Amino acid sequence: MTETRVPIPTLERLAIYLRVLLDAHEAGIQTLSSQEVEQHSGINAAQFRKDLSYFGEFGKPGVGYSVAGLIQCIERILRLDAEQPILLVGAGNIGAALVGYPNFQAHRLRIAAVFDNNFVKIGRPFGDLVIEDIARIREINATIGARLGIIAVPASAAQEVADLLVEAGVTGILNFAPTILRVPPYVHVRNVSFLQELAVLSYQAVEESLCMNGQASRGGEDAV
Amino acid sequence: MTETRVPIPTLERLAIYLRVLLDAHEAGIQTLSSQEVEQHSGINAAQFRKDLSYFGEFGKPGVGYSVAGLIQCIERILRLDAEQPILLVGAGNIGAALVGYPNFQAHRLRIAAVFDNNFVKIGRPFGDLVIEDIARIREINATIGARLGIIAVPASAAQEVADLLVEAGVTGILNFAPTILRVPPYVHVRNVSFLQELAVLSYQAVEESLCMNGQASRGGEDAV
DNA sequence: ACGATTTTGTGAATGATTTCACAAGGTTCG
DNA sequence: CGAACCTTGTGAAATCATTCACAAAATCGT
């Protein structure tokens, strides 16, 4: 195991393995081989082993992986071994879905505060929380110390919110708004776009590549 | 442009380009060069050109791309040139966020029906729609003819719902439940996992690779 | 009309990720 | 104990994706 940078696809799969392991643990299974993980995750056994090899050696040849042990290791890798507070900005439909999402708890992810800029909403209850004024985000996160933030506001406000989150000390942003966010290089952004996912499916669901060759201008006005 | 299979990353980016183009169109811009698209999308200009090259030639050397023209082309590629009906299963928080999502319209994606298995919910209004009994999904899609479906139910019910969607004629599934779905090979699935995204961010947001090397068994019981 | 300038489309080069294949370590059972 | 059997961890090979770099095409100014 040499000291290389961990590929992002590996990190993404780590979360999948964790889910499989938690399910297995729930079911009382004590040990799992990479082969069995493949069965449950759909991810190639060699891939699983190589993914883990970026972080150390966790299995026993001839036996497999201790479910409980590997859960702990992956949780530690992903910093999910201690409760991870999250700032949510945007008390709309998506925000409501997130605070009501039951699966966060199992991963020790906790939405610690909700913010909005709509003064009608501020002060109202939202799940277990009360909606706070976005203007107070920095002040409030001085107490919470969250490093993760979620942007669930319209695209037009997303950049402004991103700036505020960064200023409040957040270094990882989950962005639901359909915009490219500009952030300092040490801040990580992941975008979730329902539209993008559906667009890809829309293409794939009709596999006829009727691949229209042609020049640029059609329908609309010509270029220049 | 040789007859290769289109890479999935290319399809994902197509949706991003479309958004940039729609924004530019809104702003009254008539022409865009690949360089300018890079500025607005963060995606390398050469990447943009190569992505398009899988489908044909859409630009004019020395000029760039007709915004209106390219919008039409990408919409046609992604099958977003005609209204695309979608079946939503699960009238919970995530379902509510989706039916209330304002950006679908601009992409001619329309949630055409909502289903649930909870008899308390069936018949109630949900956005502009009325919640239908999941048992009637096949019958109802015989009229709608949707090829896309969204699963927004708990993980425990997701596989069952996937089977029903496939039976109803859906060939593309957007899955919000944290499970691996088993579907026939001609059906495409895309998973959206908030947990996965946050887990990756959680890792990235603290870049100290304190990389614990060690043997498998720790904390819990030994393997076997 | 023509040289200077711009920008496309695309083979080739590079880089990243996945898969293979196998030595080495561990287990089981006679 | 030792032979048969698993399963891991990992270099090497194969596959896949991105970026480079440049010929060809279009425009503009004179």
Side-chain angles (χ1 to χ4, degrees):
Chain A
M1 173 234 175
T2 51
E3 195 52 51
T4 327
R5 180 124 255 82
V6 180
I8 291 178
T10 290
L11 294 172
E12 294 175 346
R13 285 187 296 264
L14 240 38
I16 297 176
Y17 304 143
L18 182 54
R19 205 178 63 214
V20 168
L21 289 162
L22 288 168
D23 285 353
H25 191 70
E26 195 83 3
I29 295 165
Q30 311 243 319
T31 290
L32 235 39
S33 68
S34 59
Q35 197 55 243
E36 290 170 309
V37 171
E38 171 168 346
Q39 240 114 63
H40 290 75
S41 68
I43 296 163
N44 184 290
Q47 182 81 78
F48 171 75
R49 296 200 301 273
K50 182 160 285 265
D51 283 342
L52 291 182
S53 77
Y54 286 105
F55 303 98
E57 309 196 349
F58 304 100
K60 283 195 195 150
V63 181
Y65 300 83
S66 151
V67 171
L70 192 52
I71 287 172
Q72 285 198 22
C73 292
I74 294 181
E75 284 181 342
R76 208 173 312 177
I77 291 166
L78 295 176
R79 311 300 137 81
L80 299 174
D81 51 337
E83 192 159 275
Q84 183 79 257
I86 303 171
L87 306 182
L88 169 62
V89 184
N93 281 317
I94 293 174
L98 288 167
V99 299
Y101 195 59
N103 305 67
F104 280 157
Q105 212 171 351
H107 290 256
R108 297 211 248 293
L109 292 164
R110 191 173 58 88
I111 295 181
V114 190
F115 300 87
D116 207 294
N117 69 347
N118 182 337
F119 65 88
V120 176
K121 290 181 178 173
I122 293 166
R124 282 206 201 154
F126 198 71
D128 298 339
L129 301 162
V130 170
I131 299 171
E132 305 281 355
D133 188 344
I134 180 70
R136 300 214 306 140
I137 188 167
R138 185 175 190 171
E139 168 195 344
I140 288 172
N141 200 39
T143 310
I144 297 171
R147 286 167 300 137
L148 299 182
I150 302 177
I151 297 181
V153 303
S156 55
Q159 182 60 58
E160 196 185 341
V161 167
D163 296 342
L164 289 170
L165 281 169
V166 170
E167 212 205 322
V170 162
T171 55
I173 295 177
L174 184 58
N175 176 37
F176 282 85
T179 332
I180 307 296
L181 297 178
R182 300 220 153 265
V183 294
Y186 62 89
V187 176
H188 297 267
V189 175
R190 292 182 70 82
N191 296 293
V192 174
S193 170
F194 308 145
L195 289 168
Q196 183 176 357
E197 301 296 333
L198 285 168
V200 173
L201 283 170
S202 175
Y203 173 89
Q204 294 180 321
V206 190
E207 199 68 55
E208 321 149 32
S209 283
L210 27 99
C211 201
M212 77 304 287
N213 278 28
Q215 287 323 299
S217 38
R218 79 191 54 233
E221 64 280 54
D222 259 27
V224 166
Chain B
M1 172 234 179
T2 50
E3 195 51 53
T4 328
R5 181 124 255 83
V6 181
I8 290 178
T10 291
L11 294 173
E12 293 175 347
R13 285 187 297 264
L14 239 38
I16 297 175
Y17 304 144
L18 182 54
R19 204 178 63 212
V20 168
L21 290 163
L22 288 169
D23 285 354
H25 190 69
E26 196 84 4
I29 296 166
Q30 311 244 317
T31 290
L32 236 39
S33 68
S34 58
Q35 198 54 243
E36 291 169 307
V37 171
E38 171 168 344
Q39 240 114 62
H40 290 76
S41 68
I43 295 163
N44 184 289
Q47 181 81 78
F48 171 73
R49 297 200 300 276
K50 181 158 287 265
D51 283 342
L52 291 180
S53 77
Y54 286 105
F55 303 98
E57 309 197 348
F58 304 101
K60 282 193 196 153
V63 182
Y65 300 82
S66 152
V67 172
L70 192 52
I71 286 173
Q72 285 199 23
C73 291
I74 294 181
E75 284 181 342
R76 207 172 312 176
I77 291 166
L78 295 176
R79 312 301 139 81
L80 299 174
D81 51 336
E83 192 160 278
Q84 184 79 257
I86 302 172
L87 306 182
L88 168 62
V89 184
N93 281 318
I94 293 174
L98 289 167
V99 299
Y101 195 60
N103 304 67
F104 280 158
Q105 213 171 352
H107 290 256
R108 296 211 249 292
L109 291 165
R110 192 174 57 88
I111 294 180
V114 190
F115 300 87
D116 207 296
N117 68 349
N118 182 338
F119 65 89
V120 176
K121 290 182 177 173
I122 293 165
R124 284 207 199 151
F126 198 71
D128 298 338
L129 300 162
V130 170
I131 300 170
E132 304 282 355
D133 187 344
I134 181 70
R136 301 215 305 140
I137 190 168
R138 186 176 191 171
E139 169 196 343
I140 288 172
N141 200 40
T143 310
I144 297 170
R147 283 167 301 134
L148 300 182
I150 301 177
I151 296 180
V153 302
S156 55
Q159 182 59 59
E160 196 184 342
V161 167
D163 296 342
L164 289 169
L165 281 169
V166 170
E167 212 205 322
V170 161
T171 55
I173 295 176
L174 184 57
N175 175 38
F176 283 85
T179 333
I180 307 297
L181 298 177
R182 301 218 151 266
V183 295
Y186 62 89
V187 176
H188 297 267
V189 175
R190 291 183 70 83
N191 296 292
V192 174
S193 170
F194 308 145
L195 289 169
Q196 183 178 352
E197 301 296 332
L198 286 167
V200 173
L201 283 170
S202 175
Y203 173 90
Q204 293 180 320
V206 190
E207 199 69 53
E208 321 150 32
S209 282
L210 27 100
C211 204
M212 78 302 288
N213 277 27
Q215 288 322 301
S217 37
R218 83 190 51 234
E221 64 280 60
D222 259 27
V224 164

